[in-house]
Amino acid sequence: MAYARRAVLLASGLLVVGTLASCGTESTTTGTSPRPSAPAERSSLPSTPRAVPSDTVAASVHSSERSPATGAGERTEPSGTRCRTSELSAGVGRMDPGAGQRNFPVVLTNDSSRTCTVYGYPGAAFVDAAGRRLGPDPERTPGDPRTVTLAPGESAWAGLRYASPGVSGARAAVPAALLVTPPDEREPLKVAWKAGEVPVAGNASKVFLTVLQPGTGP
């Protein structure tokens, strides 16, 4: 009986030792096995787009300001043939009244010794004796611009039109001069204004210009 009891106790002890050894093996394996890699989860996220540098936007805006889109009928003449301000003189022809309107030919004459060209609309502005602008910029009357070739001594003219202030009721002023700028030029020509008051503010104060055409007026 005593022998049998010792045999049972010995077997139980071996079983406990085996169980503890097995638990130690599982704990060691769990602690040394590598954890799943995190980058596999991050790779599924969408990439963040790169921001456009602010100086690139500024350059684009600056470029668009320096090179505005050319409208229909606003072609630039080649610099080798274009009439320069220094080669021209300007004048204002006789008024042609009609139906409450005042119409004037604004004339550009080639005073140089070479043949040159003008194309499109001239610039125009009324100014007082101190050189201050009077009234809004003239508006361009729709037309078909064409190249006008001016031999020495030849002229081109554009129509300047506005409603008579006495009829329209617009606020008026008497300019000292009309500044006329040839197409594609920056320097104006100054013409003394002797035709009385012009509209400068209020309703019906707009002034209109037509395209240049050959000659000195109608």
Side-chain angles (χ1 to χ4, degrees):
M1 292 292 292
Y3 176 80
R5 187 179 297 115
R6 285 196 299 270
V8 170
L9 291 176
L10 180 59
S12 298
L14 291 174
L15 179 61
V16 171
V17 172
T19 302
L20 291 176
S22 174
C23 289
T25 303
E26 290 179 0
S27 175
T28 302
T29 303
T30 302
T32 58
S33 61
R35 299 179 61 185
S37 176
E41 296 180 357
R42 289 197 300 267
S43 64
S44 63
L45 296 176
S47 59
T48 303
R50 291 184 299 172
V52 178
S54 59
D55 57 348
T56 301
V57 177
S60 176
V61 172
H62 182 62
S63 176
S64 67
E65 290 176 349
R66 288 189 302 169
S67 304
T70 303
E74 295 186 17
R75 187 182 65 200
T76 299
E77 286 295 276
S79 59
T81 62
R82 187 175 75 237
C83 295
R84 304 290 183 173
T85 299
S86 59
E87 298 175 311
L88 301 169
S89 60
V92 177
R94 180 179 57 86
M95 182 182 68
D96 180 20
Q101 299 287 322
R102 292 183 177 180
N103 305 282
F104 299 87
V106 177
V107 182
L108 292 174
T109 301
N110 181 7
D111 290 341
S112 73
S113 59
R114 75 179 184 104
T115 297
C116 60
T117 61
V118 291
Y119 179 92
Y121 299 83
F126 292 109
V127 295
D128 62 15
R132 294 185 294 262
R133 184 183 295 257
L134 299 174
D137 291 336
E139 295 188 6
R140 294 176 174 181
T141 301
D144 296 319
R146 57 171 171 161
T147 297
V148 180
T149 301
L150 301 179
E154 292 185 337
S155 302
W157 71 280
L160 177 73
R161 172 177 59 85
Y162 55 86
S164 173
V167 176
S168 69
R171 186 163 66 86
V174 178
L178 175 68
L179 301 183
V180 182
T181 307
D184 302 315
E185 292 291 294
R186 294 183 180 273
E187 295 298 322
L189 297 163
K190 188 175 182 179
V191 182
W193 184 257
K194 301 178 181 180
E197 62 183 10
V198 301
V200 295
N203 295 330
S205 62
K206 292 181 178 179
V207 178
F208 300 90
L209 272 172
T210 67
V211 297
L212 285 163
Q213 50 190 309
T216 57

